[in-house]
Amino acid sequence: MNSTQVASLYVGLNIALLVVLAVRVMMHRRSAKVSVGDGGNDTLTLRIRTHGNASEHVPAFMIGLFMTAVMGSSAMLVHVLGASFTAGRLLHAAGLSASVMAARALGMLLTWVPMLVIAGLLVWQGLF
């Protein structure tokens, strides 16, 4: 696999995660009969935030991951960054959904560290 193929793998996995989280919101909206907002339903609020948090982090990272692959990063580096970010997103979603603070905190760490590495790589690759 070349680095753009590897990046494509993680883009696909993270898009699937966004869809799963969105479906969880939609299913609970239907069962709670809430079409807009959260209707004061704590479970719906939590599902909305879980999806929202992923929606805030996934797009920027996926663009960055693909860009760094196109700019010549190795397939192994793209795998490490993509896998750690994806694991972080899964841990964060599970931790937030079940109110498990350790999983949520580790998930954010595994989200932010790869994001910062990608940011640094892109700045470096853009300058040199």
Side-chain angles (χ1 to χ4, degrees), residues 14-85:
N14 281 274
I15 289 171
L17 174 62
L18 286 171
V19 171
V20 167
L21 295 174
V23 167
R24 291 183 65 220
V25 171
M26 184 264 315
M27 301 277 289
H28 201 76
R29 280 190 186 288
R30 289 180 124 188
S31 69
K33 296 181 177 23
V34 176
S35 63
V36 177
D38 62 18
N41 183 302
D42 290 341
T43 302
L44 183 54
T45 300
L46 190 58
R47 288 185 182 190
I48 290 168
R49 273 313 309 142
T50 303
H51 177 259
N53 189 277
S55 297
E56 293 160 3
H57 291 88
V58 168
F61 183 81
M62 292 300 115
I63 291 167
L65 187 68
F66 190 76
M67 285 300 302
T68 199
V70 168
M71 294 296 291
S73 290
S74 71
M76 182 55 70
L77 178 60
V78 174
H79 259 306
V80 167
L81 293 168
S84 59
F85 179 86

Side-chain angles (χ1 to χ4, degrees), residues 76-118:
M76 182 55 70
L77 178 60
V78 174
H79 259 306
V80 167
L81 293 168
S84 59
F85 179 86
T86 302
R89 292 289 75 216
L90 290 169
L91 278 168
H92 185 268
L96 186 56
S97 296
S99 297
V100 178
M101 196 51 118
R104 186 176 173 191
L106 180 58
M108 285 314 302
L109 182 67
L110 289 173
T111 295
W112 289 342
V113 169
M115 287 184 87
L116 289 170
V117 170
I118 287 286

